[in-house]
Amino acid sequence: MKKSMITAVLILAAGLFAGQALAVEQFKEQRIIRSGETASIKGSDKFFTGNVRIDPVYPANNAMRSSGGSVTFEPGARSNWHIHPVGQVLIVTSGVGLTQEWGKPIQEIKAGDVVICPVGVKHWHGAKPNTSMTHLSVCEDKGDGVVVEWMEKVTDEQYSEYKGN
Amino acid sequence: MKKSMITAVLILAAGLFAGQALAVEQFKEQRIIRSGETASIKGSDKFFTGNVRIDPVYPANNAMRSSGGSVTFEPGARSNWHIHPVGQVLIVTSGVGLTQEWGKPIQEIKAGDVVICPVGVKHWHGAKPNTSMTHLSVCEDKGDGVVVEWMEKVTDEQYSEYKGN
């Protein structure tokens, strides 16, 4: 992997869930990022509650504005409330978790489910209290590299509103 | 799932690998597409060699220009040569397959590998002769819904150039 690619992935890793602007990598040929080349990082306590691991998948590149990261929430872990300036798609790849749009009931999401969250809709996502959940997150930006705007934490009271099994 | 969503997914299913323009769905609230809601479709013989299954994952929506589909290639199956007008990212989710950029050697790709294919780069991807491969394909468009431009088939002679194990 070229140094520029490593740099892009590291910027992605640092910025994906930190509200920082992401770099756009430019390639002239096909590039393969091998499994294991990109280090996992710990989700910041500023933006998450509980143990969260982020595995960067791909940076915005060339003409493409989307970037992707895999996020694993240990039982009880969740994101803060947040919005996406262009939107987000979550593809649940493992486990069972929860998501909630502001003002609406918490919903369970399972491996194979896909969550489409439109621009500006305030939401959170994470694990269930007793099961982990991993999703691929795909976001886009407006050309400024900003894919998320972080808000307040999901309180234990809010999180415990889910009564399903 | 609302009728409009079903329509969007069906259009995606029909168009994703058929060179047709894809619809952009508009949502005002978070939408969950449940696992199993979207039917698998058979990859067209016009664009693929061998047995290929496409499972639409998400349509372009709201401000987001990307769309995603999961593609499974049975052993020996592969796409035609093609280019993407904005580019493509492949996330190998299962198995071991092959990909090749025009004029370069065939490369093996395994679960966890990510392939970034820049705008206009001619390539193909598929299974190995004796193993299946599944990847998530993420493409974007220029606002016209066109995510792929199909070309000629990968001949048996071209496909057999790979000598690795």
Side-chain angles (χ1 to χ4, degrees):
Chain A
M1 191 159 65
K2 273 177 38 179
K3 191 175 179 184
S4 60
M5 180 65 206
I6 296 171
T7 303
V9 170
L10 290 176
I11 290 170
L12 171 70
L16 185 59
F17 289 89
Q20 298 173 7
L22 306 182
V24 178
E25 186 74 350
Q26 298 297 332
F27 301 107
K28 290 186 176 176
E29 56 188 19
Q30 194 162 274
R31 187 68 46 92
I32 301 176
I33 307 170
R34 296 292 178 186
S35 180
E37 282 192 5
T38 310
S40 303
I41 59 173
K42 180 172 166 51
S44 168
D45 290 342
K46 288 184 186 173
F47 309 118
F48 297 96
T49 298
N51 289 322
V52 175
R53 184 180 78 248
I54 300 164
D55 293 289
V57 176
Y58 72 94
N61 62 87
N62 306 294
M64 292 183 71
R65 304 305 314 175
S66 70
S67 56
S70 179
V71 188
T72 297
F73 299 85
E74 296 297 321
R78 66 267 188 180
S79 72
N80 285 14
W81 289 99
H82 61 284
I83 64 171
H84 298 279
V86 182
Q88 180 183 48
V89 173
L90 303 173
I91 301 167
V92 183
T93 52
S94 177
V96 184
L98 301 174
T99 186
Q100 183 179 23
E101 182 178 333
W102 183 260
K104 299 189 178 179
I106 296 174
Q107 296 196 69
E108 189 176 274
I109 49 177
K110 296 184 175 183
D113 291 344
V114 174
V115 183
I116 294 178
C117 191
V119 47
V121 170
K122 184 173 175 179
H123 73 152
W124 65 267
H125 26 109
K128 288 183 71 173
N130 59 350
T131 62
S132 69
M133 186 272 286
T134 301
H135 62 55
L136 176 68
S137 163
V138 176
C139 291
E140 297 178 22
D141 64 31
K142 294 178 178 174
D144 57 5
V146 177
V147 297
V148 59
E149 295 176 19
W150 288 111
M151 299 173 174
E152 72 275 17
K153 287 199 171 296
V154 175
T155 65
D156 288 345
E157 187 178 358
Q158 289 171 326
Y159 184 68
S160 65
E161 285 173 8
Y162 181 71
K163 303 301 181 192
N165 291 310
Chain B
M1 192 159 63
K2 272 177 38 181
K3 191 174 179 183
S4 59
M5 180 66 206
I6 296 172
T7 303
V9 170
L10 289 176
I11 291 171
L12 171 69
L16 186 60
F17 289 89
Q20 298 174 7
L22 305 183
V24 178
E25 186 74 350
Q26 300 297 331
F27 301 107
K28 290 186 176 176
E29 56 187 19
Q30 193 162 275
R31 186 68 47 94
I32 301 176
I33 305 171
R34 296 292 178 186
S35 180
E37 282 193 5
T38 310
S40 303
I41 59 173
K42 180 172 167 52
S44 168
D45 290 342
K46 289 183 185 173
F47 310 119
F48 298 96
T49 297
N51 289 322
V52 175
R53 184 180 77 248
I54 301 164
D55 293 288
V57 176
Y58 72 95
N61 62 87
N62 306 294
M64 293 184 70
R65 302 306 313 176
S66 70
S67 56
S70 180
V71 188
T72 297
F73 299 86
E74 295 298 319
R78 65 269 189 182
S79 73
N80 284 15
W81 290 98
H82 60 284
I83 63 171
H84 298 278
V86 183
Q88 181 183 48
V89 173
L90 303 174
I91 301 167
V92 184
T93 51
S94 177
V96 184
L98 301 173
T99 185
Q100 183 179 24
E101 182 178 333
W102 183 260
K104 300 190 176 178
I106 295 175
Q107 297 197 67
E108 189 177 274
I109 49 176
K110 296 184 176 183
D113 291 344
V114 175
V115 182
I116 294 178
C117 190
V119 48
V121 170
K122 184 173 175 178
H123 73 152
W124 65 267
H125 27 107
K128 289 183 71 174
N130 59 350
T131 61
S132 69
M133 187 271 285
T134 301
H135 62 54
L136 177 68
S137 162
V138 176
C139 291
E140 298 177 23
D141 65 31
K142 294 178 177 173
D144 57 4
V146 177
V147 298
V148 59
E149 295 176 20
W150 288 111
M151 299 173 175
E152 72 275 18
K153 286 200 172 294
V154 175
T155 65
D156 288 346
E157 186 178 359
Q158 290 171 326
Y159 184 68
S160 64
E161 285 173 6
Y162 181 72
K163 302 301 182 192
N165 292 309

